[in-house]
Structure formats: C-alpha cells, structure tokens
Amino acid sequence: MRRFSATVLAIALLTVAGCSGGQSGSTADAGAPVSGGSLTWAVETEPITFNPHQYAQAKARLLVWNTFEALLTHDDKGGYLPWLASGYEVSPDGRTYTFKLRTGVTFSDGTRFDAAAVKANIDQILVPNYAPGVAAVQLKDLDKVEVKDDSTVVFQLKKPDVLLLDFLSSPQGAQISPKPIKEATNLKAGGPELAGTGPFVLDRYTPGQEVHFKKNPAYNWAPANAGHTGPAYLDEITYRFLKESSVRVGALTSGQVQIIEGVPATDEPLLSADADLSLVRGLNSGSAYSYYFNTVHAPFDDVRVRQAFREALDVPAVLDGVYRNTATRAWSVIGPTSPFYDKSLEGSYGANAAKANQLLDGAGWSAKDAEGFRTKDGKRLTVRLVQSAPYVRDRRDVLAQAVQAAVKQSAGIDLEIQLVDQGTATKALADGEYELFDNSRADTDAGAALNLLLYSTGSINRTGFTSPELDKLLDDAVATTDQAGRADLYEQVQKLAVTDQALVQPLYAPQDQIAASKSVGGVGFEPTAGVPVDAYNLWLSK
C-alpha cells in the first residue's frame, strides 16, 4: 500500500516540518527522493509465511506488500481506491460486483495479470483447509467468480456483504501468479517460488536471519495515492529478523541497519539522544489487543468470574509499568481509531478490587490457600494464558507478567502464562486447554475482526460463546453499506460482548513505531491500517 498516513503521532525527536503529501518520518531530512541504493531494516517478527493468502501477522504486512498487490487500496479516510483494478460497479441489490482490471500489468515471472488470474486466486483461497478463516468470513457470502473478458471479472454474492471490498484491499486478497499457485512445492509457505505484481521481488530467504528483496524494474502500475510512479527508488532491501528490542536498537545506533520497527518506550531515551535518528508512531486499525475469556468451562463459564478478572485489573497501571505512558488504553474489542468504536464504554469497568472480590465471593470462590490464591471446593482459581511465540510483539509476554501480578494481588487469581511455539499453542487452543486467548488484528474494516473473533462459527472465536442475537447483529452489519447503520449495529455488538457478557478484557490499542536514520526518506504508515508501509517510497539520500 504505497502511501503514508496523515495521522502520524510524532514524538520529541521527530521533525515533520516541510513534509508534504501526507508523508512523514525523516522525509524532510533525507531531501528529495533519489533512486538507487541498498537498505537494511531490522524487524521484530519473522513471518510464519510469505504467502499473502495466509497472512495473519500484522507485523508481516509491510513485507507482503513489497511483492504482492490487491485489486483495491485505501485512502486516508478508510475509503477504497483502485489498484490492480481500474474501477468497479455494484449492482443495486448489492449482490454483483463488476471489476475492470488494469491492462499491461505482469507478474514478476512474466505471466500476464488478467481476470483469469483473479479467478485462479479466488478458486485457490476457497480450496478446503487452504485459507479457512478467509473463506468463512470475508468470502462466506461469495457465490461464484466469473471471467467476463480478459479485463473484467464479476463477483456474484449470495447476499449483500460489504466485507468483500475489505478482502479485495487486504493482503489475503492479494494476487499471486497462477503459475506458482499450480506448481509451487510449498504454496502455503510462499517465498521465492511465488510471484506477485509488486515493486519488489523476494529472491532470498534465510530462516531465522533475514529476507532479501530486489527491485522489480518493470513495475509501473502504482495506485493514484502512491506518492510516485514507476519502479521503487531502492535497488534492494534486506529485512533482518531481530526479536530483541535492545538488539534492534543497537543495530540502528551502530549503523548496521538504517531503519527498525518495534521500539519500546524503554529504548526511547537512547534514540532521542542521537541527533541523526528520528522516530514516528502509528496506531493500528482493527481490533484492540485483548484477552478473550473461554466461556466453555470453569471458571470463566460464570460471567461473575469474567467480570471479577476485569475489575481486579488496573489496566493503566500495568500499561504504564510496561510501556511507560506510551500505550493507548483500550476499552472495547474494537480499536479507538475505528469509526465503529463505542466511546461510551470508556470508564465503565475495571480497577475496582473491592467489586472483584465481592463478585468472586458470590461465585463461590470465597476461600484462599496458603499462597493467597482463591479456591473453591479445594481447587485453586487458576486460569491459563497460552501465547504463541511467533505472534508475541510489543513485549506482550512482559505485559502478561504484569497482569499476572496485578490480578493475584487484587483478587487472588492465579494467572498461569504459557509462552510456547506455534504448534503447541495451536494444539492447546484446539483441545480447549486454556482460559484466556490473546489477540489483536489490523483489519482495515473492524467488521472482519469481529466476525472472526465473536461470530458463533468464527475461525478464531476462542470464547466458545454462541449467540443468535450476536450473530444476527454481525450479519446485518455486513449486509449494509450505510456507515451510520453499521456503526449502530456494531455499538450493539460491543455492548453485548463487552458490557453484558464480559467476553473480553481489552488492554491496549496496538501501535507501530519506526526509528530510522535521517538519511532514509519516505518513512510512514498505511492510511486506515496504521501499520508500517512497504518499501516502495523509501529512499536513501546520497
């Protein structure tokens, strides 16, 4: 997504004077854009996959868009703009979407991009067990895709569903060349085998170390809000996987890399002391980082215990302890940058130890053991949080420890933290061996996140809560294009999930930070999504 957010929150060491066109970061210091050069960027998270259809890590988004592109993109107001499509029409009944495609576009393997390629991608996404979350949410109302001619593709829906457009502007809807879709030895993992239409080509991946992209010299179809036309400025870019924040910061300050993301508050003083560096922040869209309660079995099958956990937790205190007053507290499952966010939830619960203890007494957890933990019928009030290591970002493991200490001290709740590999976490979740599930999503349309997380059959509904009323609200919200109507429906969803049923403990609105040498231009964030933008507009001053 070749553009920059106009709503970047700058901190003390950032100078944005002189920036134009919504660009931000070190653009002014780097001077006018120049072509050529090699850049090294240290990132916090190594992607589980390089196949855009399998995209699930917000931190991997900037890598996906280097190589792959979608039919649509977003403007800075959340609307849609043409990208690989030149335009689209929607039938009066909202069930037929006709897309005209750009001509002259090719995948990096030489294959022509056309309507047949779009259909090949959709057909693959709908293959059972290939991308089940996407098939069950964004494409659940898709009836069929028809190739009208080389430059016209038609999506027929069984009923109106606005999430189709969100899908067609998302990484999951990005286009892969039909040739590797058929021939790749490991399609799900992606990598150099997969060809896209983007400004860079992934040509080398060393697991655990780095991934390398080289310029696509034929690229000439950036969207209207891209910032420039033609090929990318950089000749090549290398992303190094450095999980520890201190290592990333050290690599930047020593000149081993020119740019990093994932800068915790504890490292900001070191950066602010260096006049050659700048730092920018962007709040993510979609859902807030939250803990979801497993309501299928004890103790969170009792709404009073769910409420007690939330009242026992002083969220601002734990956030300040970990993030030093740089985190934005969340009150709802929806992040505060979304137009569907219900501001009335603010201040409605939490930080009330007396109420937490009263609720636990009423739920029968009235005794305490020698270590001060609540018990019932001789069993300790223990709840397990299973964290999958590849998805841990923003020191969320440290945050969990702070929550652990807080709920023990306030209410005698024993929070057990399990930080495990992806396979172990997947098995634990499938087997129901957890009481808390943590998650955040950077969906540009929060409705996609809500359907995944709260719908009765949502692929990551880990609460186990099922409600025909909730499902109907979610269905109705994607069946209308009226934003005011959608906002009203999602307000009811939030009231039911957050207030009435206490299914979720919202913690903070995820944000990304980018620190860079002032020789780097074009630094910024995707509008609407708020995550770091890809490398198309980056350049190095001479």
Side-chain angles (χ1 to χ4, degrees), residues 17-208:
C19 297
S20 62
Q23 296 181 356
S24 59
S26 55
T27 301
D29 298 295
V34 293
S35 296
S38 174
L39 185 72
T40 302
W41 184 329
V43 294
E44 180 178 10
T45 303
E46 179 174 2
I48 296 172
T49 172
F50 290 96
N51 179 331
H53 299 163
Q54 306 292 318
Y55 162 80
Q57 299 161 288
K59 287 280 190 174
R61 192 174 174 114
L62 76 164
L63 304 180
V64 170
W65 291 129
N66 276 341
T67 306
F68 302 99
E69 301 178 302
L71 299 191
L72 303 173
T73 186
H74 283 274
D75 60 24
D76 59 5
K77 297 179 177 60
Y80 297 102
L81 293 173
W83 194 352
L84 292 180
S86 59
Y88 68 93
E89 295 180 351
V90 186
S91 64
D93 65 0
R95 294 175 55 189
T96 303
Y97 287 72
T98 303
F99 289 83
K100 295 297 293 185
L101 306 179
R102 298 183 66 155
T103 57
V105 176
T106 57
F107 293 96
S108 60
D109 63 0
T111 303
R112 184 177 65 163
F113 168 74
D114 56 15
V118 175
K119 187 176 189 306
N121 276 263
I122 301 300
D123 288 346
Q124 180 60 45
I125 290 171
L126 295 178
V127 169
N129 300 317
Y130 174 72
V134 176
V137 177
Q138 290 98 324
L139 296 181
K140 72 174 183 177
D141 292 317
L142 179 65
D143 183 21
K144 59 184 176 180
V145 177
E146 300 175 314
V147 175
K148 189 172 181 180
D149 55 50
D150 282 354
S151 61
T152 309
V153 62
V154 180
F155 289 74
Q156 297 283 0
L157 303 181
K158 291 174 281 189
K159 61 181 181 180
D161 190 335
V162 296
L163 290 185
L164 175 68
L165 293 178
D166 181 70
F167 162 74
L168 292 173
S169 64
S170 73
Q172 294 97 333
Q175 299 294 298
I176 301 173
S177 170
K179 184 177 180 181
I181 286 178
K182 294 179 180 178
E183 300 175 3
T185 56
N186 192 341
L187 177 60
K188 280 195 172 185
E193 283 190 293
L194 272 57
T197 62
F200 290 93
V201 177
L202 192 167
D203 67 338
R204 186 175 69 249
Y205 168 51
T206 306

Side-chain angles (χ1 to χ4, degrees), residues 345-359:
L345 294 173
E346 295 180 3
S348 62
Y349 61 87
N352 190 332
K355 184 175 181 180
N357 285 284
Q358 182 182 25
L359 286 163

Side-chain angles (χ1 to χ4, degrees), residues 12 49 180 199 235 254 260 306 330 379 398 451 457 521 529 542:
T49 172
D235 290 330
S254 65
I260 66 174
R306 303 196 294 270
K379 182 179 179 180
V398 178
N451 276 272
T457 56
K542 299 295 186 181

Side-chain angles (χ1 to χ4, degrees), residues 233-531:
Y233 295 124
L234 295 171
D235 290 330
E236 59 181 352
I237 182 167
T238 301
Y239 295 88
R240 294 178 58 193
F241 309 129
L242 301 179
K243 182 173 179 58
E244 297 299 325
S245 61
S246 59
V247 177
R248 291 194 303 279
V249 171
L252 177 64
T253 56
S254 65
Q256 298 175 58
V257 304
Q258 292 81 47
I259 185 169
I260 66 174
E261 57 83 34
V263 182
T266 51
D267 290 312
E268 287 180 9
L270 179 62
L271 297 175
S272 62
D274 194 327
D276 294 326
L277 302 177
S278 63
L279 179 70
V280 289
R281 299 178 179 278
L283 281 179
N284 297 175
S285 63
S287 63
Y289 177 65
S290 306
Y291 292 166
Y292 294 83
F293 300 110
N294 183 352
T295 68
V296 173
H297 59 247
F300 291 139
D301 57 341
D302 188 331
V303 67
R304 293 172 296 181
V305 182
R306 303 196 294 270
Q307 292 170 335
F309 188 99
R310 298 200 316 184
E311 296 298 339
L313 188 59
D314 185 341
V315 172
V318 298
L319 292 180
D320 289 350
V322 176
Y323 304 115
R324 297 190 179 182
N325 202 35
T326 63
T328 300
R329 192 254 172 89
W331 288 97
S332 178
V333 59
I334 295 179
T337 62
S338 171
F340 304 130
Y341 174 67
D342 183 3
K343 190 175 177 61
S344 70
L345 294 173
E346 295 180 3
S348 62
Y349 61 87
N352 190 332
K355 184 175 181 180
N357 285 284
Q358 182 182 25
L359 286 163
L360 290 176
D361 287 340
W365 295 92
S366 53
K368 288 189 176 181
D369 61 20
E371 295 182 57
F373 292 111
R374 293 247 174 189
T375 62
K376 181 179 182 180
D377 300 327
K379 182 179 179 180
R380 178 180 286 185
L381 179 52
T382 299
V383 294
R384 296 162 294 179
L385 170 65
V386 180
Q387 294 185 302
S388 178
Y391 290 92
V392 173
R393 54 172 283 193
D394 306 340
R395 305 181 75 211
R396 289 175 177 177
D397 51 343
V398 178
L399 177 60
Q401 295 170 23
V403 173
Q404 179 186 56
V407 296
K408 176 186 179 182
Q409 181 177 5
S410 296
I413 298 172
D414 179 23
L415 173 58
E416 181 182 291
I417 304 164
Q418 300 176 10
L419 180 61
V420 298
D421 60 82
Q422 184 187 7
T424 302
T426 299
K427 186 178 188 305
L429 294 172
D431 294 343
E433 296 296 325
Y434 68 98
E435 283 71 46
L436 289 168
F437 166 71
D438 67 328
N439 184 269
S440 67
R441 293 185 57 84
D443 301 278
T444 50
D445 189 318
L450 294 177
N451 276 272
L452 285 162
L453 291 160
L454 298 178
Y455 203 86
S456 294
T457 56
S459 60
I460 51 174
N461 178 352
R462 306 298 188 188
T463 68
F465 182 79
T466 61
S467 164
E469 178 188 1
L470 182 56
D471 290 350
K472 186 177 187 305
L473 290 171
L474 291 170
D475 283 337
D476 290 347
V478 301
T480 177
T481 58
D482 176 49
Q483 286 294 89
R486 293 188 75 199
D488 178 67
L489 290 163
Y490 285 137
E491 182 177 326
Q492 296 177 62
V493 167
Q494 292 168 85
K495 182 178 184 300
L496 195 158
V498 180
T499 304
D500 298 346
Q501 293 297 328
L503 300 177
V504 59
Q505 168 63 75
L507 291 169
Y508 71 91
Q511 65 173 294
D512 280 289
Q513 314 86 20
I514 305 174
S517 164
K518 289 185 178 178
S519 64
V520 180
V523 177
F525 300 89
E526 291 185 30
T528 305
V531 297

